[in-house]
Amino acid sequence: MFLHRVTSFSSCIRPRGHPALPWASSHYQPFAPHPPPWWSAPRFPPWPPHFPPPYPPPCPLFSGNRFHFANTGGLQSFHTSVDVMMERSSRGPPTKRLKSGEDRKSVGENVSSRDGGTRETRAKARERESKQEHHHWDFRRDGELPRYWETCSTETQPPEDSRVFDFSVMSYNILSQDLLQDNAYLYRHCDPAVLPWPYRLPNLLAEIQQHNADILCLQEVQEDHYENQIKPALQALGYQCEYKKRTGKKPDGCAITFKSSRFSLVSSTPVEFYRHGDALLNRDNVGMVVVLQPNAGAARSDASCSICVANTHLLYNPRRGDIKLAQLAILLAEIGRLSRLPDGSTNPVILCGDFNSAPWSPLYHFLTTGSLKYKGMQINMVSGQEMSPRGHRFLTPPIWSPGLGINQCCQYESKPTEESEPNCSRYRIKHDLKLQSSYGHRLLPDGRPEVTTSHSRTSLTVDYILYSSDINAMPLLPGGRGLQLLSRLSLVGQSELEEVHRLPNWHHSSDHLPLLASFRLGPDSFT
């Protein structure tokens, strides 16, 4: 795959208050489906408006492992109107406080003592205060990360009468507020003013509005916030929303939303990983699978030409790779069932989510190669989240119970079958979705690891946009139903995140970064 990096500027994100930068010249002209997405504009748009914390800010009280935000008086109620959330006041932040009472006292002495408080000394005092305020503004602007579009194809923009269908996908773990407070030790590095939900929500919605993706997959979406605030806001932006809350008493879940102007919903299937009485599948993680039909091109008149989109948030526990693989097997079985067509072929698949697994892990290898030989593999090595994992438990066949009705090829079967392969093949699981990642997981040109999540404990890639790309069934070949990756929004490395005090910060209101990729569904997918 040809990767062309736009190098005529360092970032598509221009500092606030500066004139917009023109597009850099490139062989590749981004496509412009109807309605035109934001990247088809003649120049990069400004980053989402920056919202100040509520005044007076809530006071964070730390007890145990949880922040409690106490209102110190006069905190205005938060309105769910999309206009209010998107167009809050652009007033600047308060002047940064001086380091101590002595510093403030010395300023007063300069103004009122020598020379009787002359105009010159007053001017110096004002200059010093101005520098303090300017320093605070620099701190807030430092929260922005340099992200730009990387082109991943030499394909040119299709003509208006072309039968291809171009669309964009965004995956974003938005950090549930309840989980933030329950795990407050992970966010002690943050300015407390950036943590309350009334500050975070407008930032998150502005970021979503800015990217304007056709399909949006969200994780850690808290149910009450979704129903009362997020869903109404997204509907006002033209999205149709599907949601699945985690089972049990967990407050959050997964959502898949899509532009109703670009897609029609064929089916929506929530997926629960919890199985009563199963010692392995006793966690409350969930997934969601939707089948979408494009509202443009030749697919409009062909109900069989659809895209299968899945979203999930797998178990976090780094030491329970066996549970993660079992959860993944359920999700892959559902994707296989819903994407399969009567003639035996399959619709294209987009799989998004927080997989709580690193790019060098066995679980990632299983996703992207379709096979995993796990004989002698330690359970706590499956996800690659820990560099020095503890424990010595090994994966043993079968990983999940045959009573689940899912075979070792991650497909549903009516009844369990006995193993007929040699003993060495028993230690192998497979799937046939032919998935690959939209990202390379290494930054150019130095090869540093990309990072999708960063807080006080770690900086790591755990979020992915995977897509089906069968080299024997590419869109330009007869009968092909694969997807072509056109471009992606670049990620950053650990050093860039440390420069902005990790996540969340004034600019990015989650401890994850959004992933964004654009795809082309070729004309032969519609034949």
Side-chain angles (χ1 to χ4, degrees):
M1 178 178 294
F2 176 76
L3 175 62
H4 174 70
R5 180 178 180 180
V6 179
T7 58
S8 56
F9 50 88
S10 60
S11 171
C12 69
I13 303 170
R14 63 180 177 89
R16 288 180 293 275
H18 289 248
L21 296 175
W23 277 90
S25 59
S26 171
H27 325 293
Y28 175 72
Q29 180 66 31
F31 50 86
H34 181 77
W38 66 268
W39 62 78
S40 64
R43 60 187 179 187
F44 286 105
W47 194 256
H50 196 72
F51 303 107
Y55 291 93
C59 246
L61 307 176
F62 185 78
S63 60
N65 68 336
R66 185 181 178 93
F67 280 117
H68 302 275
F69 294 99
N71 190 351
T72 56
L75 179 61
Q76 297 179 353
S77 61
F78 184 78
H79 303 283
T80 60
S81 164
V82 106
D83 292 334
V84 173
M85 288 188 286
M86 297 298 181
E87 299 178 6
R88 290 175 63 181
S89 169
S90 59
R91 65 192 174 191
T95 302
K96 186 177 181 181
R97 292 183 180 179
L98 297 174
K99 292 183 178 179
S100 68
E102 293 180 359
D103 291 334
R104 188 172 298 278
K105 180 180 177 181
S106 65
V107 173
E109 289 175 350
N110 287 336
V111 174
S112 60
S113 60
R114 291 174 302 173
D115 302 325
T118 63
R119 182 178 302 176
E120 181 181 0
T121 54
R122 289 192 180 98
K124 289 182 179 179
R126 285 195 299 269
E127 181 182 358
R128 179 172 178 176
E129 291 177 354
S130 175
K131 287 181 179 179
Q132 293 284 356
E133 182 174 358
H134 179 68
H135 178 72
H136 191 94
W137 270 104
D138 283 345
F139 170 77
R140 293 187 64 165
R141 219 166 24 231
D142 283 345
E144 301 176 15
L145 290 165
R147 303 186 67 184
Y148 48 86
W149 278 93
E150 298 174 335
T151 60
C152 307
S153 171
T154 57
E155 291 293 320
T156 58
Q157 182 176 352
E160 292 183 3
D161 59 350
S162 173
R163 301 174 69 219
V164 302
F165 182 78
D166 296 334
F167 64 99
S168 58
V169 179
M170 180 176 175
S171 182
Y172 198 6
N173 182 326
I174 64 172
L175 180 58
S176 159
Q177 190 67 21
D178 277 4
L179 293 178
L180 182 155
Q181 294 184 212
D182 288 341
N183 298 278
Y185 66 94
L186 297 176
Y187 309 105
R188 291 177 176 173
H189 66 283
C190 299
D191 185 325
V194 308
L195 298 178
W197 184 244
Y199 181 84
R200 295 178 56 231
L201 175 60
N203 264 9
L204 293 168
L205 291 176
E207 195 163 22
I208 290 171
Q209 183 185 35
Q210 170 71 14
H211 294 310
N212 194 33
D214 298 312
I215 300 173
L216 179 62
C217 295
L218 301 176
Q219 305 89 40
E220 287 196 25
V221 183
Q222 195 165 306
E223 184 181 34
D224 56 340
H225 293 157
Y226 171 77
E227 293 294 342
N228 299 324
Q229 298 168 330
I230 297 173
K231 182 179 179 180
L234 294 180
Q235 287 175 332
L237 293 174
Y239 288 95
Q240 181 174 333
C241 304
E242 301 293 322
Y243 177 76
K244 172 58 181 174
K245 177 184 173 293
R246 283 206 283 171
T247 51
K249 298 181 180 180
K250 302 299 182 181
D252 65 294
C254 294
I256 299 179
T257 74
F258 56 92
K259 288 290 185 70
S260 56
S261 62
R262 308 226 62 214
F263 294 96
S264 296
L265 181 66
V266 176
S267 66
S268 176
T269 306
V271 183
E272 296 182 357
F273 299 144
Y274 178 84
R275 297 291 189 272
H276 181 72
D278 191 315
L280 188 66
L281 291 166
N282 60 354
R283 308 303 170 93
D284 293 310
N285 303 84
V286 296
M288 168 75 66
V289 184
V290 301
V291 178
L292 304 177
Q293 182 180 352
N295 290 339
R300 169 178 279 179
S301 58
D302 188 350
S304 67
C305 298
S306 303
I307 302 170
C308 183
V309 181
N311 183 27
T312 192
H313 188 180
L314 297 184
L315 177 73
Y316 166 75
N317 192 334
R319 301 182 181 91
R320 294 308 305 266
D322 51 345
I323 297 178
K324 298 183 188 189
L325 289 173
Q327 292 178 345
L328 196 55
I330 296 174
L331 183 64
L332 294 175
E334 278 295 319
I335 294 172
R337 179 179 71 86
L338 294 168
S339 64
R340 191 170 297 112
L341 296 171
D343 63 1
S345 61
T346 59
N347 277 321
V349 172
I350 300 283
L351 174 55
C352 299
D354 179 348
F355 292 85
N356 277 312
S357 301
W360 55 83
S361 67
L363 188 144
Y364 176 85
H365 178 84
F366 172 57
L367 276 170
T368 54
T369 67
S371 178
L372 178 65
K373 295 180 180 179
Y374 59 87
K375 186 174 184 179
M377 184 177 296
Q378 295 183 27
I379 292 176
N380 54 17
M381 296 287 289
V382 169
S383 67
Q385 292 165 280
E386 295 183 338
M387 300 306 295
S388 301
R390 292 171 289 176
H392 297 284
R393 295 177 57 220
F394 295 90
L395 291 171
T396 56
I399 296 177
W400 52 84
S401 168
L404 194 60
I406 298 174
N407 61 25
Q408 298 303 293
C409 293
C410 296
Q411 297 174 345
Y412 285 118
E413 55 184 14
S414 56
K415 57 182 179 180
T417 58
E418 294 184 2
E419 291 283 351
S420 58
E421 298 181 83
N423 186 58
C424 63
S425 298
R426 293 177 61 238
Y427 290 87
R428 183 182 181 186
I429 55 176
K430 298 185 292 184
H431 72 82
D432 59 1
L433 296 181
K434 299 179 175 63
L435 300 172
Q436 69 180 62
S437 176
S438 302
Y439 285 80
H441 313 308
R442 294 285 179 180
L443 297 171
L444 297 176
D446 52 12
R448 289 179 299 127
E450 293 175 336
V451 174
T452 68
T453 182
S454 180
H455 48 65
S456 294
R457 290 290 181 90
T458 188
S459 293
L460 194 65
T461 287
V462 296
D463 307 276
Y464 304 97
I465 298 178
L466 304 169
Y467 67 101
S468 58
S469 180
D470 184 1
I471 60 173
N472 296 315
M474 292 301 291
L476 299 182
L477 297 178
R481 292 183 181 274
L483 291 168
Q484 184 179 12
L485 177 66
L486 295 179
S487 58
R488 63 193 176 213
L489 187 64
S490 68
L491 285 166
V492 297
Q494 182 171 347
S495 60
E496 289 90 341
L497 285 160
E498 289 176 350
E499 288 177 3
V500 299
H501 312 288
R502 301 201 175 195
L503 301 172
N505 57 36
W506 286 102
H507 189 76
H508 301 279
S509 286
S510 173
D511 57 351
H512 291 248
L513 293 174
L515 278 62
L516 189 63
S518 59
F519 298 93
R520 173 166 295 172
L521 188 61
D524 292 314
S525 299
F526 307 137
T527 58

